[in-house]
Amino acid sequence: MSYPYQVRSKEEYEEAYKRSIEDPEGFWANVAQHFVWKKPWTKVLEWNFKEPSVKWFDGATLNITENCIDRHLATLGEKPAIIWEPNHPEERVRTVTYNRLHKRVCQFAQVLKNNGVKKGDRVCIYMGMVPELAYAVLGCARIGAIHSVIFGGFSAQSIADRLEDAGAEYIVTADGAYRGEKIIPLKSVIDDALIGNKTVKRVIVYTRTRTPVSMIKGRDVWWEDEMERVEEQAPSGSPGGGEVQAHGQPSEESATDLNTSQSRPGAAAKSPHRGDLEGLAVEMSAEDPLFILYTSGSTGKPKGVVHSCGGYMVWTAYTFVNVFQYQPGDVHFCTADIGWITGHSYIIYGPLAAGATSVMFEGVPTYPDAGRLWDIVDKHKVNILYTAPTAIRSLMGFGLAPLEGKDLSSLKILGTVGEPINEEAWHWYDEHIGKKKCPIVDTWWQTENGGVLISNMAGITPSKPSFATLPMPGVQPILVDEAGVEILGNPAAGNLCIKAPWPSIIRTTYGDHERCRQAYFSTYENLYFTGDGALRDEDGNYRITGRVDDVLNVSGHRIGTAEVENAINMHSAVVESAVVGYPHDIKGQGIYAFVICPELHGGEEATRLNIIQTVARIIGPIAKPDKIQFVSGLPKTRSGKIMRRILRKIAEGETSAFGDTSTLLDPSVVEEIAKGRTLP
Ligand code: WTA
């Protein structure tokens, strides 16, 4: 298999870029024709950013799972689609071939149907990084249910809010999830989230950790029992009958040996599981929603970003094949969690749409030691490694010892995502992991974008340390000043906007279209506003400098300051708070909270811990403040607005140069806060 839409030289990139701008409809129709559609489109693109309304491939129908699985079966059936690396290295690897993936996804799609799930229903998925998570995601897509995956680091309260916002009636979860030395009791968190919930009818529970769970009659069912029931329903004689796993027993995939992750000779004789189940691939309109993924913004409540089936499929496959220059047979390892957009697009949908082999890792880079990622690269002969700058910085801190004896020679391409990568980390990655022979792609994009928008293409267009470099074909970035006036010429600096839609642009925020307009399309007329600031060098390369709104990026996780403030303010002793980011060596940004708390019950330290605990309860451990400073007042303007600019300076360590403070109601408060700064 090869990719007719793969760009193979700098000239081809320039040519593709030019065509994509001059004739976007022709360009994308040309790419999209290489996918399986049930009905062709009547119009490639219709859009306006006013409402906003964006329609790609309108009139066309498809099922994304047929593109990600079925169409590969004839040629790649016995090739690994997913190689699963467990949290505990001594546990067996599971290799899921395309045939197996097909069988499992169809089977789980039937489970969903048996439990009453219909097209358009919202299914919340709260699982660890196990292959069953991929089956659940794809099983939803198979029958047209809208999945909403929630990262395992969110609390019961966060889940409850999301369940309510999405009106979710179904949940897929597990008893627990392994994460390094810890076990996260997923089902128990779900039980807490469901207290008072009136919409959820069914919870399907996969057995992973054997953590005790309370199964509620009439609501909760076991994954294994449901799968078995479908197996029994399947037409007799269909292959795979009787293979079903008992609770917590390793399933048949795990029978594959550690070192037989490539296809097994002779196994091709086994035909894939066909029969009635195949009929489950529901015909979806290109613009039907595929999933919701919640993300933080500058207001208090996370937004449910909605992506649609057709455009998202085309974009994730196109960018996967081009950014990473994927070649058939390559092993791709994206270390993200499927709870975030990177996992959706570059562990599941993009790689599978391209018939690739995708490594899925259950654990963390530092367990059992800081050599874990390098062990995985060595063991599975990984060719493409895609990770986050925060992971690189944290591993750098362990020195070179964890690299000793690890064969990284299979690596061809390295990638980063999630935050700006500092030059030091870039060079360490280049020198010690890529051995100076692997191009590094610094991929800039957002949950709302569906896939990479600005990045070099590995080995095709040049990289430049700490620059995401050039836009993908179809992407028209511009820099604007505060008034929205385009900044022309190079070099330049400004707020990063995009002029026209690419196929996987956000379609709406679930249940509240106006919010989508407000957040992304109202700041500057006729532009999509990213919320990021950027520089452009003489050659037109973009360097993303970070958020210009009240959104923090902590270890590559997006967290709204307003959200954290709301959580802190829930603590009974807190009167008011203001949260800002500050530079953090490993996390990129740390969370610094200024808190007004007149009575420190049990002392300062105890109150601090209580506030941290409150945030963990309300949002989740990922939003815990790194520093809490108790203050008697906050720097406010006469109209009551907190001047975060000043607080940011204090958090960064500035002691005197605060700029103009004359508009403050009480300028003396600044000095007091600066004096009391909590030193790192
Ligand atoms: C930041 C993650 C610099 C940026 C895919 C963006 C980056 C936010 C990069 C989106 C990069 C992402 N260089 N900054 N290569 N990639 N960002 O929605 O601030 O979790 O707005 O999507 O991460 O985060 P999100």
Side-chain angles (χ1 to χ4, degrees):
M1 198 171 88
S2 65
Y3 307 101
Y5 49 86
Q6 192 166 45
V7 170
R8 299 294 287 147
S9 66
K10 183 148 195 291
E11 294 67 42
E12 276 181 38
Y13 163 75
E14 277 156 10
E15 161 76 21
Y17 190 79
K18 189 159 172 279
R19 265 198 304 131
S20 75
I21 305 307
E22 286 169 2
D23 175 22
E25 295 200 43
F27 183 85
W28 290 108
N30 200 30
V31 174
Q33 63 167 325
H34 300 291
F35 294 81
V36 178
W37 303 87
K38 289 178 191 276
K39 269 195 216 116
W41 48 85
T42 46
K43 181 91 179 94
V44 178
L45 171 63
E46 255 177 305
W47 68 284
N48 74 70
F49 276 172
K50 246 192 163 47
E51 294 176 50
S53 163
V54 176
K55 286 186 191 156
W56 280 95
F57 313 113
D58 203 27
T61 61
L62 75 156
N63 186 286
I64 195 168
T65 69
E66 290 188 332
N67 282 275
C68 288
I69 311 173
D70 303 52
R71 71 167 163 150
H72 306 312
L73 295 180
T75 50
L76 303 172
E78 284 304 305
K79 293 274 188 249
I82 295 173
I83 297 176
W84 178 75
E85 174 68 29
N87 179 63
H88 304 294
E90 61 280 5
E91 197 183 339
R92 272 212 255 167
V93 166
R94 290 167 64 183
T95 299
V96 184
T97 62
Y98 274 93
N99 281 338
R100 180 66 62 191
L101 182 64
H102 181 258
K103 179 177 170 176
R104 288 289 174 247
V105 168
C106 291
Q107 207 176 344
F108 191 68
Q110 184 64 48
V111 165
L112 291 169
K113 274 190 86 166
N114 288 353
N115 281 281
V117 184
K118 298 177 304 299
K119 178 180 171 183
D121 288 348
R122 276 79 56 218
V123 179
C124 161
I125 304 177
Y126 187 65
M127 296 175 89
M129 288 282 286
V130 286
E132 284 70 17
L133 165 56
Y135 306 162
V137 162
L138 293 163
C140 286
R142 189 87 176 165
I143 63 166
I146 302 169
H147 58 77
S148 172
V149 182
I150 301 181
F151 176 62
F154 282 113
S155 69
Q157 183 62 52
S158 290
I159 298 170
D161 293 345
R162 286 158 170 77
L163 288 172
E164 189 188 318
D165 189 81
E169 291 175 322
Y170 304 92
I171 295 178
V172 186
T173 187
D175 51 354
Y178 292 117
R179 230 182 120 69
E181 279 164 358
K182 285 189 239 148
I183 290 180
I184 304 168
L186 298 174
K187 173 61 165 63
S188 158
V189 178
I190 289 289
D191 288 338
D192 287 346
L194 286 178
I195 295 170
N197 174 289
K198 297 215 169 42
T199 54
V200 172
K201 297 181 195 155
R202 184 72 81 234
V203 181
I204 302 174
V205 186
Y206 174 70
T207 309
R208 172 66 186 130
T209 56
R210 296 185 166 269
T211 305
V213 294
S214 63
M215 297 292 281
I216 303 298
K217 197 180 290 166
R219 188 193 71 186
D220 302 350
V221 295
W222 292 108
W223 170 290
E224 296 78 12
D225 294 348
E226 295 301 300
M227 289 292 262
E228 190 167 0
R229 180 126 43 92
V230 172
E231 194 91 17
E232 282 160 7
Q233 276 171 13
S236 62
S238 75
E243 290 179 298
V244 159
Q245 62 194 100
H247 292 204
Q249 292 303 305
S251 67
E252 74 276 32
E253 284 102 11
S254 64
T256 311
D257 234 302
L258 271 190
N259 33 15
T260 53
S261 55
Q262 296 307 310
S263 69
R264 282 162 290 163
K270 244 187 167 190
S271 67
H273 181 79
R274 292 277 154 88
D276 292 354
L277 294 180
E278 221 177 359
L280 288 176
V282 166
E283 185 167 354
M284 303 289 286
S285 293
E287 281 301 327
D288 276 339
L290 174 63
F291 65 83
I292 304 172
L293 189 58
Y294 283 86
T295 190
S296 296
S298 40
T299 56
K301 234 176 71 178
K303 297 179 281 260
V305 172
V306 176
H307 283 291
S308 62
C309 298
Y312 177 80
M313 169 182 75
V314 170
W315 190 258
T316 52
Y318 182 84
T319 51
F320 173 71
V321 159
N322 282 301
V323 170
F324 301 105
Q325 287 294 305
Y326 187 85
Q327 299 303 318
D330 281 352
V331 176
H332 171 79
F333 176 21
C334 166
T335 68
D337 192 288
I338 291 172
W340 307 107
I341 191 70
T342 306
H344 281 61
S345 301
Y346 299 109
I347 296 177
I348 298 186
Y349 287 112
L352 297 181
T357 295
S358 181
V359 175
M360 183 174 176
F361 175 38
E362 185 188 38
V364 294
T366 48
Y367 176 83
D369 58 50
R372 192 67 205 281
L373 294 186
W374 323 129
D375 281 329
I376 297 173
V377 168
D378 189 344
K379 178 153 131 193
H380 300 296
K381 302 290 162 245
V382 169
N383 305 112
I384 303 167
L385 175 67
Y386 190 30
T387 192
T390 187
I392 299 169
R393 286 191 302 265
S394 128
L395 294 175
M396 262 169 76
F398 291 88
L400 298 179
L403 283 159
E404 268 165 35
K406 314 289 156 79
D407 179 5
L408 304 184
S409 62
S410 56
L411 286 174
K412 297 196 291 188
I413 284 149
L414 303 176
T416 70
V417 61
E419 52 178 316
I421 178 162
N422 48 313
E423 291 211 23
E424 197 193 350
W426 195 98
H427 286 294
W428 190 86
Y429 201 30
D430 182 38
E431 204 168 305
H432 299 293
I433 307 307
K435 317 285 184 203
K436 294 209 160 192
K437 66 173 180 57
C438 303
I440 297 178
V441 289
D442 176 353
T443 66
W444 172 83
W445 57 295
Q446 314 175 292
T447 304
E448 296 84 347
N449 307 156
V452 176
L453 292 199
I454 302 182
S455 171
N456 47 319
M457 291 182 179
I460 302 295
T461 59
S463 62
K464 179 170 177 180
S466 78
F467 278 73
T469 75
L470 299 173
M472 289 291 114
V475 177
Q476 300 185 56
I478 67 166
L479 299 177
V480 300
D481 64 17
E482 290 299 328
V485 178
E486 180 167 4
I487 304 166
L488 296 165
N490 294 339
N495 289 348
L496 180 64
C497 294
I498 318 280
K499 251 184 187 168
W502 60 97
S504 66
I505 188 173
I506 179 175
R507 297 303 197 267
T508 189
T509 43
Y510 191 80
D512 190 352
H513 192 63
E514 173 57 17
R515 195 150 177 231
C516 173
R517 193 189 68 78
Q518 280 277 344
Y520 309 105
F521 301 93
S522 70
T523 316
Y524 304 114
E525 204 178 335
N526 281 325
L527 294 173
Y528 166 83
F529 177 41
T530 64
D532 280 325
L535 308 173
R536 192 171 51 215
D537 75 2
E538 292 74 12
D539 304 318
N541 291 307
Y542 285 87
R543 174 187 187 143
I544 313 302
T545 47
R547 305 287 306 195
V548 295
D549 54 9
D550 293 324
V551 172
L552 306 179
N553 191 330
V554 181
S555 300
H557 300 157
R558 248 164 94 168
I559 299 170
T561 52
E563 244 178 286
V564 183
E565 287 163 9
N566 289 348
I568 292 175
N569 296 348
M570 301 276 285
H571 186 275
S572 60
V574 172
V575 173
E576 199 180 3
S577 65
V579 165
V580 296
Y582 72 98
H584 187 288
D585 284 350
I586 307 279
K587 299 179 178 185
Q589 269 189 314
I591 303 179
Y592 198 121
F594 297 89
V595 181
I596 304 178
C597 195
E599 276 179 43
L600 299 169
H601 186 80
E604 237 185 74
E605 205 37 45
T607 310
R608 221 173 246 127
L609 293 175
N610 287 342
I611 291 174
I612 291 172
Q613 182 63 13
T614 310
V615 175
R617 279 262 177 234
I618 303 296
I619 305 176
I622 56 168
K624 284 182 184 174
D626 298 278
K627 307 220 171 296
I628 294 176
Q629 180 181 345
F630 295 109
V631 295
S632 63
L634 292 167
K636 287 190 180 173
T637 61
R638 283 184 194 93
S639 58
K641 211 171 159 268
I642 297 172
M643 281 184 88
R644 281 164 204 284
R645 175 177 63 76
I646 293 174
L647 293 176
R648 266 194 293 269
K649 285 215 155 144
I650 295 174
E652 282 163 14
E654 186 63 66
T655 49
S656 54
F658 299 118
D660 182 11
T661 54
S662 62
T663 54
L664 286 179
L665 196 57
D666 174 13
S668 72
V669 79
V670 176
E671 209 174 307
E672 179 218 301
I673 298 175
K675 274 207 195 108
R677 178 174 181 265
T678 309
L679 293 170

